[in-house]
Amino acid sequence: MKVIVASANPAKIAAVHSALSLVWPDKQINCTGVSTVSGVAAQPMNSEETLQGALNRLHAISDAQQHAHYHADYYVAIEAGLDGDCSFAWVAISNNDRISKTRSASLPIPPAALYAIQQGEELGDVMDRMFNQHNVKQQGGAIAMLTNHLLTRSGVYQQAIILAMIPFIQPQLFNI
């Protein structure tokens, strides 16, 4: 099964591969990441903007399917953003012009980090500085830093991806 992820971020690609391997344990899952633009701010500041970023990324890769290199069974986009004082992500998945979407778990952002984000910084950069790390967003993410590595960005995304797959797992219940 070929899957294209609307990101070159290794954490997102790993989350998609892991989630779909759980959904279809008997299938070989081939995940390819393709760098896309979200069309929204680098740090989306609300749920609507974050969802729009995920949908923009999804359309960018699924519209490119006319090129044989980009043809896939599923297209997956993940966009992280803020909702109030919490960080979360929207996951959008398409298959044959049908789209399913869901949100990930939310994590509270410390006030100092939230302030820095409101001043224009991205969450990953703020976490790098707060925890003296480099490129947290392509590793365990803010989630790992804030939970002492009890959770990872990829693991939380994996759950949201599986939830977004429900209409494709149970198509008879969704008239697909």
Side-chain angles (χ1 to χ4, degrees):
M1 173 177 301
K2 185 171 181 182
V3 179
I4 296 181
V5 181
S7 177
N9 183 321
K12 292 180 179 182
I13 297 166
V16 172
H17 185 270
S18 178
L20 296 184
S21 293
L22 290 171
V23 171
W24 289 294
D26 297 333
K27 293 190 179 190
Q28 181 178 354
I29 310 297
N30 177 6
C31 285
T32 303
V34 175
S35 184
T36 59
V37 294
S38 68
V40 299
Q43 179 62 72
M45 297 301 286
N46 59 51
S47 180
E48 294 78 19
E49 183 181 18
T50 306
L51 175 58
Q52 190 60 57
L55 293 174
N56 289 347
R57 288 181 190 277
L58 184 66
H59 292 306
I61 57 170
S62 60
D63 289 349
Q65 72 178 316
Q66 57 201 335
H67 304 291
H69 177 71
Y70 291 117
H71 179 73
D73 299 296
Y74 287 92
Y75 302 89
V76 181
I78 304 168
E79 184 73 14
L82 292 182
D83 193 3
D85 62 354
C86 291
S87 177
F88 77 103
W90 271 104
V91 173
I93 300 174
S94 69
N95 167 275
N96 297 326
D97 296 325
R98 290 186 167 82
I99 296 175
S100 177
K101 57 191 182 302
T102 193
R103 287 177 54 141
S104 72
S106 298
L107 64 140
I109 301 299
L114 191 59
Y115 179 78
I117 293 165
Q118 291 167 339
Q119 301 310 304
E121 291 188 62
E122 287 187 54
L123 177 60
D125 297 333
V126 174
M127 290 293 109
D128 281 348
R129 188 174 60 254
M130 288 181 85
F131 289 94
N132 195 27
Q133 298 290 311
H134 176 71
N135 208 7
V136 163
K137 65 184 177 181
Q138 290 195 2
Q139 299 167 34
I143 296 166
M145 298 294 101
L146 294 170
T147 64
N148 291 330
H149 299 276
L150 294 172
L151 298 173
T152 64
R153 180 181 196 191
S154 193
V156 171
Y157 286 172
Q158 178 184 331
Q159 292 175 346
I161 294 160
I162 291 170
L163 293 173
M165 287 301 299
I166 289 172
F168 303 112
I169 296 168
Q170 302 290 341
Q172 72 281 5
L173 300 176
F174 291 86
N175 297 319
I176 293 179

